[in-house]
Amino acid sequence: MKQLAINIERVKQHFSELALINSGTKGYTRTAFSDEEMQAKIWLIEKLKKLGISFYMDGAKNVIARYGPLDKPCIAIGSHLDTVVEGGLFDGALGVIGALEVLEVLFENKVEPSVPIELICFTGEEANPLGGTFGSRVMAGQVQRDDDYDLLLCKADIDCELLLDAARPKEAFLNYIELHIEQGEVLESNQQSIGIVTSIAGMLRFEVKIAGRASHSGTTPMHMRSDALVFAASLITEVNSIAKRKGDNIVATVGEISIFPNMANVVPGEALLLLEVRGSKLEKMREVKEEIVEWISNNIPNTDIRLLVEKYPREMEQSIQREIEEASKKLGYSYRYMLSGANHDANSMSTLTDAGMIFVPSRNGISHHPDEFTSWDDIEKGINTLLATTCQLSEKKQGVHNV
C-alpha cells in the first residue's frame, strides 16, 4: 500500500471547532460528565456521520466508531475529550482528533482495511468522583460497584444497568494504540519528535493526617508548640529526598495539603496531606511508601496513614513499540523509548489487548494548564506516525485492499 499522509489543515480546523466547546474563562474546560464533554462527543458524532462510518454510544457513554468489517476483532485507536478545569487544548483531544484523521485519510483514499479500525472516545479520563479513566475501566470490566457508587453513577446520568453492557471481551480487539502529548519535557529537551512508550507508571496515593495541638500563635512559646504544619513541612522535604535516593523512575509528590484551623493567629492543630508515589515497578513503589511510613513513625507523633489508590504499572506491548519505531524510521522522524509518568486509557485497555502509546512533545512540559502547547509540526508527525503504525498492524494482521 502506498504511503499515506494526513491533512494537517483539516486537523487544525477540527481543533478550532472543538476549542469552542468550552465553559472556562482561561484555557479549556470540558470536565468529565459535563454538558461540554457531551457536546464534544456530539461534535465527533457529526463528523462520523459525514463520513458515513458506523458508530454507537455505549452504557458508559463512550463513543465507538468502526471502519471496516463489523464482525471481526479490531485495531482500536483513540483517547478522550474531557479536560481538567482550565486545562489545555491538546491533552486527550489529540488522540481523538488524530484517530478521526486516520479514518478520514483511509476513507478519502478508498482504503478499506480487512482488519477493522475502531475509533474510541472514552468518557471521563480525567480525575472525577467516579474515578479517572472511567470509560476505559468500564470497557475493561474494572469498575467495582456498590450502593454508594451507584448513587454517583446516577448523579453523572449513567444508567447502572446499561453500564454492564459496556464491558467488552478480549476477543473484540487485536491492538489498542493511543496518541497523546507527552506532558513532560523529555522529548523537547532531547529534540526528538516521537516518544515510544515502554510502560505506564503505576501510582500509590495515600493520605497522611498529622495531629498537632492548636493554640494561640501569640501566647504559645516556640518550645511548647506541637505545630502540625511544621511536622508536615519536614515530611514533605523527606519525601522529596527519599524519591531522589531511590531512582528507578520513582517520583513522589505531596500535591495537596490542608491545614486546620487555617487561621493566621492559631498554631496549626492538624495537617492533612495527599501523597503520591509513581514508578514503573510496583515493588519499588511499595518500598518507597514503606520507607516514608517508617520515617513518619520514627519522627512524627500522632499520625494516621490511609491508602487511597493503588494502580499497577503497565508494560506496553513490545511488538507495537517496534511497529511505532518502524513507522518513525520510514517517516524520517527522530524518536526515543520512554516511560509515561501519567496514567492513560491505554492502561485499562492493556488488560484487554496488546496496547501501545505514541507521545509528541509538550513545550516546557506544561499540561493541565492553559499554556499547554504542542507545535502543529509535531502534531502532524504524531498523527502520521499513528496512521503509519495502524496501517502496518492492519497489513500484518490480515492485509488491506483498495476498494
Side-chain angles (χ1 to χ4, degrees):
M1 184 176 67
K2 67 178 182 179
Q3 184 71 57
L4 301 175
I6 71 159
N7 181 341
I8 190 60
E9 295 306 317
R10 178 168 57 206
V11 170
K12 290 179 183 179
Q13 179 62 31
H14 285 167
F15 271 108
S16 68
E17 293 172 10
L18 185 63
L20 299 176
I21 306 173
N22 175 28
S23 64
T25 55
K26 293 189 241 179
Y28 302 90
T29 300
R30 291 187 301 273
T31 55
F33 311 107
S34 66
D35 290 341
E36 290 75 27
E37 185 193 26
M38 181 55 68
Q39 290 169 23
K41 292 176 187 175
I42 292 170
W43 170 86
L44 174 62
I45 286 170
E46 291 303 314
K47 298 297 180 185
L48 296 169
K49 284 180 179 177
K50 287 182 181 178
L51 285 174
I53 291 174
S54 63
F55 66 89
Y56 68 97
M57 187 177 289
D58 69 12
K61 298 190 177 179
N62 298 315
V63 176
I64 301 163
R66 177 171 285 227
Y67 183 61
L70 299 177
D71 59 346
K72 294 182 179 180
C74 70
I75 297 170
I77 51 179
S79 194
H80 62 98
L81 290 176
D82 65 308
T83 72
V84 299
V85 175
E86 296 185 347
L89 180 60
F90 302 109
D91 177 9
L94 174 60
V96 176
I97 289 178
L100 175 63
E101 179 63 17
V102 168
L103 296 188
E104 291 187 302
V105 170
L106 294 175
F107 182 82
E108 67 189 6
N109 283 277
K110 303 185 186 305
V111 176
E112 184 175 332
S114 298
V115 172
I117 310 300
E118 201 167 85
L119 179 158
I120 307 178
C121 173
F122 292 108
T123 298
E125 192 270 353
E126 302 292 358
N128 65 79
L130 291 169
T133 62
F134 171 77
S136 55
R137 287 188 298 110
V138 171
M139 188 171 288
Q142 295 178 339
V143 169
Q144 301 297 317
R145 289 173 49 201
D146 55 24
D147 290 344
D148 291 338
Y149 198 80
D150 283 355
L151 285 174
L152 292 173
L153 288 170
C154 290
K155 287 181 181 179
D157 196 28
I158 299 290
D159 188 307
C160 298
E161 298 307 315
L162 292 178
L163 193 70
L164 298 173
D165 297 329
R168 298 176 67 182
K170 293 182 178 181
E171 293 75 22
F173 300 98
L174 295 170
N175 301 120
Y176 173 75
I177 314 168
E178 183 169 355
L179 171 64
H180 208 280
I181 60 171
E182 179 194 342
Q183 302 178 281
E185 299 181 76
V186 174
L187 289 172
E188 183 184 50
S189 63
N190 287 278
Q191 298 183 318
Q192 291 165 316
S193 299
I194 299 297
I196 303 171
V197 177
T198 56
S199 61
I200 297 175
M203 178 181 67
L204 300 176
R205 179 182 294 157
F206 49 102
E207 175 188 87
V208 180
K209 183 184 291 186
I210 301 173
R213 187 180 71 253
S215 57
H216 196 290
S217 64
T219 62
T220 309
M222 298 303 290
H223 71 280
M224 296 179 66
R225 295 186 178 200
S226 180
D227 189 327
L229 182 54
V230 171
F231 289 136
S234 64
L235 171 58
I236 293 168
T237 301
E238 186 61 24
V239 165
N240 189 65
S241 297
I242 290 172
K244 284 182 175 179
R245 290 198 301 270
K246 185 60 67 173
D248 285 323
N249 290 318
I250 288 288
V251 295
T253 309
V254 178
E256 184 175 326
I257 181 169
S258 303
I259 303 300
F260 305 96
N262 199 29
M263 298 174 66
N265 61 348
V266 181
V267 175
E270 182 179 286
L272 187 67
L273 295 80
L274 287 185
L275 199 158
E276 278 188 1
V277 177
R278 299 191 187 217
S280 59
K281 297 177 181 178
L282 184 61
E283 63 273 18
K284 294 293 183 182
M285 294 160 54
R286 286 174 171 165
E287 285 177 14
V288 170
K289 176 182 177 289
E290 291 308 312
E291 191 170 339
I292 292 170
V293 169
E294 182 179 2
W295 187 90
I296 292 171
S297 66
N298 291 332
N299 293 275
I300 303 179
N302 302 319
T303 58
D304 180 58
I305 301 170
R306 185 164 64 99
L307 181 65
L308 302 177
V309 177
E310 182 174 85
K311 291 186 177 180
Y312 296 169
R314 296 288 181 188
E315 298 290 328
M316 295 292 97
E317 170 58 36
Q318 290 187 4
S319 63
I320 297 180
Q321 293 175 42
R322 290 192 293 270
E323 293 295 339
I324 298 169
E325 179 180 7
E326 181 180 333
S328 300
K329 286 179 176 177
K330 284 181 180 177
L331 294 165
Y333 301 156
S334 58
Y335 63 90
R336 71 180 292 116
Y337 284 82
M338 61 186 300
L339 168 75
S340 171
N343 194 28
H344 299 284
D345 290 307
N347 188 328
S348 309
M349 292 302 291
S350 70
T351 67
L352 286 176
T353 188
D354 293 340
M357 288 197 74
I358 300 166
F359 276 174
V360 291
S362 296
R363 186 173 64 186
N364 298 324
I366 296 172
S367 185
H368 286 186
H369 188 277
D371 291 342
E372 175 184 281
F373 179 80
T374 297
S375 72
W376 292 117
D377 181 59
D378 285 327
I379 286 171
E380 184 174 19
K381 289 176 179 176
I383 303 177
N384 270 328
T385 303
L386 176 66
L387 172 63
T389 304
T390 303
C391 289
Q392 286 170 196
L393 287 168
S394 179
E395 288 178 316
K396 290 174 182 178
K397 296 295 182 182
Q398 289 190 35
V400 296
H401 63 276
N402 290 336
V403 295

mmCIF file with all atom_site columns, all heavy atoms in Angstrom, residues 136-144 166-168 351-352:
data_model
loop_
_atom_site.group_PDB
_atom_site.id
_atom_site.type_symbol
_atom_site.label_atom_id
_atom_site.label_alt_id
_atom_site.label_comp_id
_atom_site.label_asym_id
_atom_site.label_entity_id
_atom_site.label_seq_id
_atom_site.pdbx_PDB_ins_code
_atom_site.Cartn_x
_atom_site.Cartn_y
_atom_site.Cartn_z
_atom_site.occupancy
_atom_site.B_iso_or_equiv
_atom_site.pdbx_formal_charge
_atom_site.auth_seq_id
_atom_site.auth_comp_id
_atom_site.auth_asym_id
_atom_site.auth_atom_id
_atom_site.pdbx_PDB_model_num
ATOM 1   N N   . SER A 1 136 ? -12.644 3.746  29.966 1.00 0.00 ? 136 SER A N   1
ATOM 2   C CA  . SER A 1 136 ? -11.819 2.598  29.589 1.00 0.00 ? 136 SER A CA  1
ATOM 3   C C   . SER A 1 136 ? -11.851 1.525  30.671 1.00 0.00 ? 136 SER A C   1
ATOM 4   O O   . SER A 1 136 ? -11.786 0.325  30.373 1.00 0.00 ? 136 SER A O   1
ATOM 5   C CB  . SER A 1 136 ? -10.375 3.044  29.305 1.00 0.00 ? 136 SER A CB  1
ATOM 6   O OG  . SER A 1 136 ? -9.821  3.746  30.400 1.00 0.00 ? 136 SER A OG  1
ATOM 7   N N   . ARG A 1 137 ? -11.972 1.927  31.940 1.00 0.00 ? 137 ARG A N   1
ATOM 8   C CA  . ARG A 1 137 ? -12.081 0.925  33.015 1.00 0.00 ? 137 ARG A CA  1
ATOM 9   C C   . ARG A 1 137 ? -13.406 0.172  32.926 1.00 0.00 ? 137 ARG A C   1
ATOM 10  O O   . ARG A 1 137 ? -13.453 -1.040 33.164 1.00 0.00 ? 137 ARG A O   1
ATOM 11  C CB  . ARG A 1 137 ? -11.932 1.595  34.387 1.00 0.00 ? 137 ARG A CB  1
ATOM 12  C CG  . ARG A 1 137 ? -10.512 2.009  34.694 1.00 0.00 ? 137 ARG A CG  1
ATOM 13  C CD  . ARG A 1 137 ? -10.331 2.493  36.119 1.00 0.00 ? 137 ARG A CD  1
ATOM 14  N NE  . ARG A 1 137 ? -11.114 3.673  36.435 1.00 0.00 ? 137 ARG A NE  1
ATOM 15  C CZ  . ARG A 1 137 ? -12.168 3.698  37.245 1.00 0.00 ? 137 ARG A CZ  1
ATOM 16  N NH1 . ARG A 1 137 ? -12.564 2.575  37.842 1.00 0.00 ? 137 ARG A NH1 1
ATOM 17  N NH2 . ARG A 1 137 ? -12.827 4.820  37.468 1.00 0.00 ? 137 ARG A NH2 1
ATOM 18  N N   . VAL A 1 138 ? -14.466 0.870  32.549 1.00 0.00 ? 138 VAL A N   1
ATOM 19  C CA  . VAL A 1 138 ? -15.746 0.183  32.332 1.00 0.00 ? 138 VAL A CA  1
ATOM 20  C C   . VAL A 1 138 ? -15.609 -0.820 31.196 1.00 0.00 ? 138 VAL A C   1
ATOM 21  O O   . VAL A 1 138 ? -16.041 -1.973 31.305 1.00 0.00 ? 138 VAL A O   1
ATOM 22  C CB  . VAL A 1 138 ? -16.865 1.196  32.027 1.00 0.00 ? 138 VAL A CB  1
ATOM 23  C CG1 . VAL A 1 138 ? -18.139 0.465  31.574 1.00 0.00 ? 138 VAL A CG1 1
ATOM 24  C CG2 . VAL A 1 138 ? -17.179 2.045  33.249 1.00 0.00 ? 138 VAL A CG2 1
ATOM 25  N N   . MET A 1 139 ? -15.002 -0.401 30.092 1.00 0.00 ? 139 MET A N   1
ATOM 26  C CA  . MET A 1 139 ? -14.832 -1.278 28.941 1.00 0.00 ? 139 MET A CA  1
ATOM 27  C C   . MET A 1 139 ? -14.007 -2.512 29.301 1.00 0.00 ? 139 MET A C   1
ATOM 28  O O   . MET A 1 139 ? -14.256 -3.620 28.807 1.00 0.00 ? 139 MET A O   1
ATOM 29  C CB  . MET A 1 139 ? -14.178 -0.517 27.789 1.00 0.00 ? 139 MET A CB  1
ATOM 30  C CG  . MET A 1 139 ? -14.139 -1.292 26.485 1.00 0.00 ? 139 MET A CG  1
ATOM 31  S SD  . MET A 1 139 ? -13.603 -0.268 25.076 1.00 0.00 ? 139 MET A SD  1
ATOM 32  C CE  . MET A 1 139 ? -15.043 0.791  24.850 1.00 0.00 ? 139 MET A CE  1
ATOM 33  N N   . ALA A 1 140 ? -13.031 -2.329 30.193 1.00 0.00 ? 140 ALA A N   1
ATOM 34  C CA  . ALA A 1 140 ? -12.156 -3.433 30.603 1.00 0.00 ? 140 ALA A CA  1
ATOM 35  C C   . ALA A 1 140 ? -12.731 -4.236 31.765 1.00 0.00 ? 140 ALA A C   1
ATOM 36  O O   . ALA A 1 140 ? -12.078 -5.166 32.262 1.00 0.00 ? 140 ALA A O   1
ATOM 37  C CB  . ALA A 1 140 ? -10.783 -2.886 30.970 1.00 0.00 ? 140 ALA A CB  1
ATOM 38  N N   . GLY A 1 141 ? -13.931 -3.883 32.228 1.00 0.00 ? 141 GLY A N   1
ATOM 39  C CA  . GLY A 1 141 ? -14.564 -4.622 33.325 1.00 0.00 ? 141 GLY A CA  1
ATOM 40  C C   . GLY A 1 141 ? -13.891 -4.406 34.662 1.00 0.00 ? 141 GLY A C   1
ATOM 41  O O   . GLY A 1 141 ? -13.926 -5.284 35.534 1.00 0.00 ? 141 GLY A O   1
ATOM 42  N N   . GLN A 1 142 ? -13.309 -3.222 34.874 1.00 0.00 ? 142 GLN A N   1
ATOM 43  C CA  . GLN A 1 142 ? -12.548 -2.954 36.089 1.00 0.00 ? 142 GLN A CA  1
ATOM 44  C C   . GLN A 1 142 ? -13.307 -2.134 37.130 1.00 0.00 ? 142 GLN A C   1
ATOM 45  O O   . GLN A 1 142 ? -12.770 -1.860 38.198 1.00 0.00 ? 142 GLN A O   1
ATOM 46  C CB  . GLN A 1 142 ? -11.253 -2.209 35.737 1.00 0.00 ? 142 GLN A CB  1
ATOM 47  C CG  . GLN A 1 142 ? -10.294 -3.030 34.888 1.00 0.00 ? 142 GLN A CG  1
ATOM 48  C CD  . GLN A 1 142 ? -9.053  -2.240 34.511 1.00 0.00 ? 142 GLN A CD  1
ATOM 49  O OE1 . GLN A 1 142 ? -9.041  -1.012 34.538 1.00 0.00 ? 142 GLN A OE1 1
ATOM 50  N NE2 . GLN A 1 142 ? -7.995  -2.949 34.148 1.00 0.00 ? 142 GLN A NE2 1
ATOM 51  N N   . VAL A 1 143 ? -14.526 -1.719 36.833 1.00 0.00 ? 143 VAL A N   1
ATOM 52  C CA  . VAL A 1 143 ? -15.275 -0.883 37.773 1.00 0.00 ? 143 VAL A CA  1
ATOM 53  C C   . VAL A 1 143 ? -16.030 -1.762 38.766 1.00 0.00 ? 143 VAL A C   1
ATOM 54  O O   . VAL A 1 143 ? -16.792 -2.655 38.375 1.00 0.00 ? 143 VAL A O   1
ATOM 55  C CB  . VAL A 1 143 ? -16.265 0.040  37.020 1.00 0.00 ? 143 VAL A CB  1
ATOM 56  C CG1 . VAL A 1 143 ? -17.229 0.712  37.990 1.00 0.00 ? 143 VAL A CG1 1
ATOM 57  C CG2 . VAL A 1 143 ? -15.499 1.085  36.224 1.00 0.00 ? 143 VAL A CG2 1
ATOM 58  N N   . GLN A 1 144 ? -15.794 -1.513 40.051 1.00 0.00 ? 144 GLN A N   1
ATOM 59  C CA  . GLN A 1 144 ? -16.466 -2.248 41.122 1.00 0.00 ? 144 GLN A CA  1
ATOM 60  C C   . GLN A 1 144 ? -17.605 -1.388 41.664 1.00 0.00 ? 144 GLN A C   1
ATOM 61  O O   . GLN A 1 144 ? -17.382 -0.280 42.143 1.00 0.00 ? 144 GLN A O   1
ATOM 62  C CB  . GLN A 1 144 ? -15.477 -2.585 42.243 1.00 0.00 ? 144 GLN A CB  1
ATOM 63  C CG  . GLN A 1 144 ? -14.292 -3.411 41.789 1.00 0.00 ? 144 GLN A CG  1
ATOM 64  C CD  . GLN A 1 144 ? -14.700 -4.781 41.274 1.00 0.00 ? 144 GLN A CD  1
ATOM 65  O OE1 . GLN A 1 144 ? -15.543 -5.450 41.858 1.00 0.00 ? 144 GLN A OE1 1
ATOM 66  N NE2 . GLN A 1 144 ? -14.094 -5.184 40.168 1.00 0.00 ? 144 GLN A NE2 1
ATOM 67  N N   . ALA A 1 166 ? -21.396 -2.340 28.708 1.00 0.00 ? 166 ALA A N   1
ATOM 68  C CA  . ALA A 1 166 ? -20.281 -1.618 28.098 1.00 0.00 ? 166 ALA A CA  1
ATOM 69  C C   . ALA A 1 166 ? -18.963 -2.380 28.204 1.00 0.00 ? 166 ALA A C   1
ATOM 70  O O   . ALA A 1 166 ? -17.999 -2.052 27.509 1.00 0.00 ? 166 ALA A O   1
ATOM 71  C CB  . ALA A 1 166 ? -20.136 -0.239 28.736 1.00 0.00 ? 166 ALA A CB  1
ATOM 72  N N   . ALA A 1 167 ? -18.891 -3.378 29.086 1.00 0.00 ? 167 ALA A N   1
ATOM 73  C CA  . ALA A 1 167 ? -17.681 -4.200 29.173 1.00 0.00 ? 167 ALA A CA  1
ATOM 74  C C   . ALA A 1 167 ? -17.559 -5.053 27.916 1.00 0.00 ? 167 ALA A C   1
ATOM 75  O O   . ALA A 1 167 ? -18.556 -5.584 27.412 1.00 0.00 ? 167 ALA A O   1
ATOM 76  C CB  . ALA A 1 167 ? -17.734 -5.086 30.409 1.00 0.00 ? 167 ALA A CB  1
ATOM 77  N N   . ARG A 1 168 ? -16.329 -5.186 27.408 1.00 0.00 ? 168 ARG A N   1
ATOM 78  C CA  . ARG A 1 168 ? -16.130 -5.929 26.162 1.00 0.00 ? 168 ARG A CA  1
ATOM 79  C C   . ARG A 1 168 ? -15.115 -7.044 26.374 1.00 0.00 ? 168 ARG A C   1
ATOM 80  O O   . ARG A 1 168 ? -14.201 -6.927 27.198 1.00 0.00 ? 168 ARG A O   1
ATOM 81  C CB  . ARG A 1 168 ? -15.660 -4.978 25.050 1.00 0.00 ? 168 ARG A CB  1
ATOM 82  C CG  . ARG A 1 168 ? -16.692 -3.905 24.741 1.00 0.00 ? 168 ARG A CG  1
ATOM 83  C CD  . ARG A 1 168 ? -16.191 -2.907 23.726 1.00 0.00 ? 168 ARG A CD  1
ATOM 84  N NE  . ARG A 1 168 ? -16.012 -3.492 22.412 1.00 0.00 ? 168 ARG A NE  1
ATOM 85  C CZ  . ARG A 1 168 ? -15.537 -2.817 21.355 1.00 0.00 ? 168 ARG A CZ  1
ATOM 86  N NH1 . ARG A 1 168 ? -15.174 -1.548 21.503 1.00 0.00 ? 168 ARG A NH1 1
ATOM 87  N NH2 . ARG A 1 168 ? -15.404 -3.402 20.187 1.00 0.00 ? 168 ARG A NH2 1
ATOM 88  N N   . THR A 1 351 ? -5.225  -4.359 29.593 1.00 0.00 ? 351 THR A N   1
ATOM 89  C CA  . THR A 1 351 ? -5.735  -5.591 30.214 1.00 0.00 ? 351 THR A CA  1
ATOM 90  C C   . THR A 1 351 ? -6.643  -6.359 29.266 1.00 0.00 ? 351 THR A C   1
ATOM 91  O O   . THR A 1 351 ? -6.945  -7.522 29.519 1.00 0.00 ? 351 THR A O   1
ATOM 92  C CB  . THR A 1 351 ? -6.506  -5.272 31.509 1.00 0.00 ? 351 THR A CB  1
ATOM 93  O OG1 . THR A 1 351 ? -7.706  -4.552 31.195 1.00 0.00 ? 351 THR A OG1 1
ATOM 94  C CG2 . THR A 1 351 ? -5.655  -4.458 32.468 1.00 0.00 ? 351 THR A CG2 1
ATOM 95  N N   . LEU A 1 352 ? -7.065  -5.717 28.171 1.00 0.00 ? 352 LEU A N   1
ATOM 96  C CA  . LEU A 1 352 ? -7.915  -6.366 27.173 1.00 0.00 ? 352 LEU A CA  1
ATOM 97  C C   . LEU A 1 352 ? -7.135  -6.833 25.955 1.00 0.00 ? 352 LEU A C   1
ATOM 98  O O   . LEU A 1 352 ? -7.508  -7.828 25.319 1.00 0.00 ? 352 LEU A O   1
ATOM 99  C CB  . LEU A 1 352 ? -9.014  -5.406 26.702 1.00 0.00 ? 352 LEU A CB  1
ATOM 100 C CG  . LEU A 1 352 ? -10.181 -5.127 27.643 1.00 0.00 ? 352 LEU A CG  1
ATOM 101 C CD1 . LEU A 1 352 ? -11.111 -4.081 27.024 1.00 0.00 ? 352 LEU A CD1 1
ATOM 102 C CD2 . LEU A 1 352 ? -10.959 -6.403 27.941 1.00 0.00 ? 352 LEU A CD2 1
#
